[in-house]
Amino acid sequence: MGKDKALISAIGAVSSNGAIGLNGWLPWDIPEELAYFESTVSGAALVIGRLTYESMDVVPADSFVVTRQSDLAMRPGCTRVATVEEGLRLALATGKPVFVIGGASLYAAAWPYCNRFYLTRIEQSYVGDSFFPAEIRLDDWEIVDESIRRLHERGSGREVVCRFIQYAQANPRPLPDTVCI
């Protein structure tokens, strides 16, 4: 895969009030939305923030964890990296699709490099302690695919509207040629 053809994607879900996390996990319990996430990133190299990494029960091989904690224990197949750029470069080197999966600070740092963003907009407010970065603007991104589904939220027992949207950024910033470590 050539340098200019490399595809970096991000994926996430956000509630109508911007919440993306609560107490180290998702603020909602929507099995079909989580299954969508898992099937979309299956077989990909992942770039993950430390808190997101620590919240995951299963972390696939070729996962690159962005952290300043040099003593963070790594699971088999995972690599600790110091910067989002280092994580993206190593993920691209695997030859697999690359997904940035959060959390909030990682989305903000990786955003300029992403070609695609797979966003589930959950049309319901949820209490959260982690929110989608306000500085990330989707206004200049093209919607290339969208579907709407009503899904069961187990916590409330109600159906919620979920909009599965795929955005494309025409001119993402290229990764720097060198990464300072």
Side-chain angles (χ1 to χ4, degrees):
M1 183 180 290
K3 180 178 173 184
D4 295 331
K5 302 293 184 198
L7 184 66
I8 299 171
S9 300
I11 187 169
V14 61
S15 69
S16 61
N17 63 324
I20 62 172
L22 177 65
N23 299 325
W25 192 238
L26 301 172
W28 48 80
D29 185 1
I30 306 171
E32 293 90 345
E33 196 285 322
L34 187 57
Y36 167 78
F37 167 85
E38 291 172 346
S39 69
T40 303
V41 304
S42 179
L46 305 180
V47 180
I48 311 169
R50 178 188 57 84
L51 292 174
T52 300
Y53 170 76
E54 290 177 337
S55 75
M56 296 171 69
D57 292 331
V58 177
V59 182
D62 290 327
S63 291
F64 301 88
V65 182
V66 181
T67 182
R68 291 183 299 272
Q69 291 186 357
S70 60
D71 62 343
L72 181 66
M74 290 286 104
R75 299 175 196 175
C78 298
T79 303
R80 180 180 31 255
V81 296
T83 66
V84 68
E85 291 83 2
E86 180 186 10
L88 291 170
R89 191 169 303 291
L90 290 172
L92 287 167
T94 67
K96 295 179 174 184
V98 174
F99 276 92
V100 174
I101 66 167
S105 62
L106 191 65
Y107 286 132
W111 198 251
Y113 307 113
C114 293
N115 306 77
R116 302 278 176 167
F117 184 44
Y118 296 76
L119 178 66
T120 303
R121 288 195 181 271
I122 299 170
E123 302 296 336
Q124 176 73 41
S125 290
Y126 287 89
V127 172
D129 55 20
S130 180
F131 292 85
F132 193 76
E135 65 269 21
I136 295 177
R137 308 281 305 151
L138 292 167
D139 301 343
D140 296 332
W141 290 54
E142 177 186 1
I143 295 176
V144 295
D145 190 44
E146 181 175 11
S147 64
I148 300 172
R149 296 177 55 198
R150 295 184 71 79
L151 301 175
H152 180 75
E153 201 280 324
R154 290 196 296 203
S156 67
R158 294 184 295 199
E159 285 191 346
V160 294
V161 173
C162 295
R163 295 176 50 217
F164 296 87
I165 308 167
Q166 187 181 146
Y167 292 91
Q169 178 173 222
N171 297 303
R173 181 185 307 161
L175 282 170
D177 287 334
T178 58
V179 178
C180 298
I181 300 174

